[in-house]
Amino acid sequence: MTGLALRLVVLLALTSCSSEIYLREGVTDGDTFYLSHNALVDADPVLQSWGSYSLTRSVCQLQIGGDNPARASSFECELTARRHLVESWVDHQSEEPWVSDPYLDSLSNVHAAGYLPEYVAYYLNRQQWQLPSDLDNGDFEVWRRQYLRRHKAETRLTGSWNYARKVNVIH
């Protein structure tokens, strides 16, 4: 079993499927992340890469915690999830070199150039994030203008948040 497959198995153990989705202000809320059924049965490399992202991000959000982990966010959380996304994509491409996805290929180039932290800060920044002081924004801006013209960041969650069903135990 490859390292990626093992990571996915461990992360899958933390999730399950649910038919109910709770929305607030158009965003799913909850304290439990449910991986989509498609991600469990479809071996598509793009879907599996985004599954890795979704699970990594949800685990990080659960670690941040709070009343509604679905809304938890940090720079490190997003950076770690994007790193897993790229690593998963690169692993899939090494096994199937013909697969391609415009966004994932671009993100792989960002990672290969060493600008993934700067990318996350520039394209995905949230007001509440604390950004590291060592970001190379100047060099990234020059690189970005050359290689990421008209680029738009994407996020494709392969699951949803929901509230875990509470089991009442009567003694």
Side-chain angles (χ1 to χ4, degrees), residues 23-121:
L23 293 175
R24 187 175 76 194
E25 299 166 4
V27 178
T28 59
D29 278 349
D31 58 11
T32 306
F33 186 77
Y34 297 91
L35 192 65
S36 71
H37 178 72
N38 248 9
L40 297 172
V41 297
D42 189 339
D44 174 59
V46 173
L47 178 62
Q48 291 303 310
S49 295
W50 281 107
S52 177
Y53 167 84
S54 299
L55 290 170
T56 302
R57 188 172 110 167
S58 66
V59 168
C60 184
Q61 288 172 287
L62 288 166
Q63 290 172 338
I64 293 171
D67 290 339
N68 189 356
R71 301 240 176 189
S73 179
S74 74
F75 172 79
E76 285 301 323
C77 188
E78 187 64 37
L79 178 60
T80 299
R82 295 280 163 169
R83 198 170 277 136
H84 279 269
L85 171 62
V86 170
E87 290 169 0
S88 177
W89 182 242
V90 169
D91 285 350
H92 286 294
Q93 283 190 312
S94 70
E95 295 171 10
E96 304 172 59
W98 57 88
V99 298
S100 181
D101 177 83
Y103 178 76
L104 294 176
D105 293 342
S106 291
L107 195 63
S108 293
N109 291 337
V110 170
H111 182 62
Y115 291 120
L116 194 57
E118 291 79 6
Y119 176 92
V120 169

Side-chain angles (χ1 to χ4, degrees), residues 115 118 122 136-146:
Y115 291 120
E118 291 79 6
Y122 183 87
D136 192 355
N137 293 321
D139 285 349
F140 175 65
E141 180 63 20
V142 171
W143 188 89
R144 183 187 71 76
R145 286 184 182 169
Q146 182 174 357

